Amino acid sequence: MSDVALSVLDLAPVADGSTPSQALANALDLARHVEALGYGRVWVAEHHNMTGIASSSPPVLLAHLAAGTERIRLGSGGVMLPNHAPLVVAEQFGMLEALHPGRIDLGLGRAPGTDGLTAAALRRSNDPFSNEDDFPAQLAQLRGFLRGDLPREDPLHRVKAVPNNGYEPAIWLLGSSGFSAQLAGELGLPFSFAHHFSAQHTVPAVDLYRASFKPSEVLQRPYVMLGTAVVAAEDDAEAEFLNGSNVLQFLRLRQGNPGLLPTPEEAQRALKDPSAQKFAESRRASQIVGGPDTVRRGIEELLARTNADELMVTSVIHDHDKRRRSYELLADVVDLAPRELHRASVA
C-alpha cells in the first residue's frame, strides 16, 4: 500500500479534563509528529459552537502550525465558504501562501459547519442557509480575488485582495454528497469526500466526480481524497475501547448536546444503553478501528472500492499519546514513505 498518500485531519479535540489551550498545543505537536512520519498534509476543520473542538478559526491555527513545522502541507478541511465573504478568505489564505509558499491548501465546503442559530450569528443573517445555493458564484469570486482577475461585469472587479496574483493556495472542494463532487469535476479541481461521516454516499460521489471531470490548468486527471476515521492500537480490543470516546461524542452531537471529548471509560459505561449500542454499530460502518492487521484489511477494502489517491485520516482519541501512536501504527501498516505533496503532485 506504499502508493497511497496519507494525510491528517485534525479537529483539535478538547478532551474532558483538559483545555482548549492544551488542545491547540497538541495540534502543533501532532503536526510535527506526522511530518516526521512522512504524512503529506495536515488539515484543520472549521466548527463553531462546539466546546469539544478547538479549531474554530482555521487560518489562525494554520499560521501557528506552519510556523512550527518545516515542509508538510497545511490547509483547511475546510473553510465553510457561505460563512465568510470571499474577499476575507482570499486575503487570509493569500497571506498564508505568501508567508509559507507552496505549503498551503484551501479546502472549501458549502455547509455551515454548525447549527442554524450559530450560522446566523456568523453570517449576520436571519436565514442561515440563504447563501448555500450561491456557492458556485462565491467560489468563482474567491478565485477571482486570489488571481486578481475578477471579470469587469463583477461589481467588485476593482477591489484587490492583498496579497493576490501569485499568492494562490491550492484549492480543493469538500463534500459529503454529490453537489460538490460534480462541481469539482466540472471545474477540474481536486475533491475530498467526507467518508468518515457519510460512508453510504462515498462511492456514488466519487463516481460522479470522475464522470464529471474536465481537465484544467490545475489538474489533468481526477484526484480523490477520502476523509477517513481510523483508530489504530496494539490490538483490536484496545482500539475499540479508545474509539468509544469518539462514538459517544458524536452521539451527543446528534442529540443536540455537543461537549468535550469524553474518556473511554465514560464512553464504555454510557454505550451500554441499547439505543447507544445501536448508534455505535451504525457509526462503526464508516470507521476503521483495530490492531495493525485489522486496520490493514480495512484500508485495503476501502481502496479497492474507491481507488482513492489519498486518505486524510482523523483519529479522535482522548489520550494524546495514544493518538500519536495511532498515526505511527497506521504509517507502519501502509509502509508510508516520506514525501512532499506539492501542488504539482496532483497535476
Side-chain angles (χ1 to χ4, degrees):
M1 283 189 290
S2 59
D3 288 340
V4 66
L6 282 186
S7 295
V8 173
L9 175 63
D10 187 4
L11 303 183
V14 184
D16 189 14
S18 187
T19 64
S21 180
Q22 186 59 56
L24 296 172
N26 289 345
L28 177 57
D29 178 72
L30 183 65
R32 289 170 170 166
H33 186 57
V34 298
E35 180 177 61
L37 291 171
Y39 285 76
R41 316 174 201 271
V42 171
W43 283 8
V44 298
E46 177 187 348
H47 290 286
H48 302 279
N49 197 28
M50 296 183 188
T51 56
I53 297 177
S55 58
S56 58
S57 180
V60 176
L61 181 52
L62 291 173
H64 180 61
L65 299 183
T69 53
E70 296 180 1
R71 63 186 180 277
I72 196 166
R73 291 193 68 93
L74 297 156
S76 58
V79 162
M80 301 297 105
L81 187 54
N83 292 344
H84 310 282
L87 176 61
V88 173
V89 178
E91 292 192 330
Q92 289 173 341
F93 280 80
M95 185 175 292
L96 284 169
E97 180 66 23
L99 288 167
H100 306 282
R103 295 182 60 197
I104 303 301
D105 297 326
L106 174 52
L108 296 165
R110 62 187 285 265
T114 187
D115 60 274
L117 183 62
T118 306
L122 284 165
R123 304 175 193 178
R124 306 287 293 179
S125 168
N126 291 326
D127 183 359
F129 303 102
S130 60
N131 293 325
E132 284 193 20
D133 290 340
D134 295 334
F135 183 79
Q138 291 175 312
L139 175 61
Q141 191 175 73
L142 169 62
R143 299 182 80 189
F145 278 132
L146 285 167
R147 297 175 176 180
D149 64 356
L150 277 175
R152 284 192 166 272
E153 57 268 24
D154 191 306
L156 300 180
H157 78 274
R158 293 185 179 181
V159 178
K160 302 298 181 185
V162 180
N164 74 0
N165 197 16
Y167 299 103
E168 183 181 4
I171 292 180
W172 292 67
L173 293 194
L174 282 57
S176 57
S177 62
F179 181 93
S180 291
Q182 185 169 355
L183 182 61
E186 291 173 350
L187 296 176
L189 294 173
F191 178 58
S192 180
F193 186 81
H195 174 76
H196 56 303
F197 63 80
S198 190
Q200 69 273 26
H201 298 125
T202 299
V203 172
V206 168
D207 288 348
L208 178 59
Y209 167 66
R210 290 179 173 135
S212 305
F213 186 83
K214 299 176 183 177
S216 68
E217 74 279 7
V218 176
L219 284 179
Q220 290 301 302
R221 62 173 183 84
Y223 192 92
V224 172
M225 176 197 291
L226 296 183
T228 310
V230 177
V231 172
E234 307 304 327
D235 56 48
D236 288 0
E238 183 187 5
E240 293 288 353
F241 175 68
L242 295 175
N243 188 51
S245 299
N246 174 247
V247 172
L248 179 57
Q249 186 184 44
F250 202 78
L251 172 60
R252 288 171 173 171
L253 175 63
R254 287 289 179 88
Q255 292 172 335
N257 185 33
L260 302 181
L261 182 65
T263 66
E265 290 81 6
E266 180 184 0
Q268 191 173 52
R269 293 190 296 270
L271 294 174
K272 288 181 180 179
D273 178 82
S275 62
Q277 286 182 347
K278 185 176 180 179
F279 175 84
E281 291 171 2
S282 65
R283 177 75 175 147
R284 281 288 281 106
S286 63
Q287 297 178 306
I288 298 173
V289 178
D293 290 342
T294 300
V295 168
R296 180 180 293 106
R297 288 193 298 270
I299 291 176
E300 287 175 344
E301 188 274 336
L302 179 60
L303 293 176
R305 285 196 295 121
T306 63
N307 196 29
D309 300 283
E310 187 170 345
L311 299 181
M312 175 154 280
V313 176
T314 180
S315 298
V316 181
I317 298 172
H318 184 273
D319 185 299
H320 181 61
D321 288 337
K322 297 288 188 182
R323 188 162 61 131
R324 285 168 52 99
R325 180 58 177 155
S326 181
Y327 285 109
E328 290 173 4
L329 290 168
L330 179 58
D332 288 342
V333 161
V334 303
D335 191 22
L336 186 63
R339 69 180 76 190
E340 295 184 9
L341 292 179
H342 293 298
R343 190 188 315 254
S345 72
V346 298

